[in-house]
Amino acid sequence: MASIMEKHATTVLKKEVASNQSTAEKQRLLAQYAEISDNEEDEEDQDGNDDVAGFKNRNAEDVAKRQREQREKDKSQHEQRKEQNRLQQEKQKQAALDRKEKEKKRTQKQEKHR
């Protein structure tokens, strides 16, 4: 029983030693990657769109670009419809005037024949 307890105690010590080594390794890596040079820090302050790894957020830029393009497309389509409506109104007004003139001519002809 004592031999089993000794084996168990040594395995527990090995885990602690291993966890201390892994902790030391983690700390070293964190210290290595946590260092930021002055240039990197300045660039992040200027852009504001950089994530932790220093990459730009292209998705937000693409979405904004697509929205801007869609607004421009909608605006141009609106202008085209507006112009078409204006032309259609002018045609209708002209057609109404033509109809009135024809009616006048017809009534004048009828009065002459009487």
Side-chain angles (χ1 to χ4, degrees):
M1 182 87 154
S3 64
I4 294 174
M5 294 291 273
E6 289 176 11
K7 288 180 184 179
H8 181 64
T10 57
T11 57
V12 170
L13 289 176
K14 286 181 183 177
K15 287 182 183 178
E16 287 180 16
V17 171
S19 66
N20 286 340
Q21 288 175 349
S22 65
T23 304
E25 182 68 19
K26 287 179 186 178
Q27 293 297 328
R28 186 185 63 79
L29 287 173
L30 286 173
Q32 178 184 355
Y33 289 110
E35 293 177 10
I36 298 176
S37 69
D38 291 336
N39 287 340
E40 291 177 24
E41 193 172 299
D42 291 341
E43 289 174 4
E44 279 186 24
D45 292 341
Q46 291 173 357
D47 293 341
N49 291 336
D50 289 353
D51 63 3
V52 176
F55 296 105
K56 287 188 177 182
N57 187 353
R58 292 275 190 196
N59 190 35
E61 293 173 3
D62 290 343
V63 168
K65 182 179 177 182
R66 274 187 259 135
Q67 287 175 345
R68 188 172 42 253
E69 289 172 352
Q70 184 65 36
R71 281 194 303 270
E72 291 173 1
K73 180 181 172 186
D74 291 344
K75 186 177 179 180
S76 66
Q77 286 177 349
H78 173 72
E79 291 297 323
Q80 287 176 349
R81 281 188 305 242
K82 193 173 162 182
E83 183 66 21
Q84 287 174 351
N85 288 342
R86 187 183 62 77
L87 292 174
Q88 188 65 28
Q89 275 185 331
E90 288 178 7
K91 286 179 183 179
Q92 288 174 353
K93 284 181 183 179
Q94 188 63 39
L97 288 174
D98 290 345
R99 218 175 22 249
K100 285 180 182 179
E101 288 178 16
K102 284 181 182 180
E103 183 66 27
K104 278 184 183 178
K105 288 180 182 178
R106 205 176 317 139
T107 55
Q108 287 175 356
K109 285 182 182 178
Q110 288 176 357
E111 288 177 3
K112 285 184 181 178
H113 290 294
R114 287 186 185 181

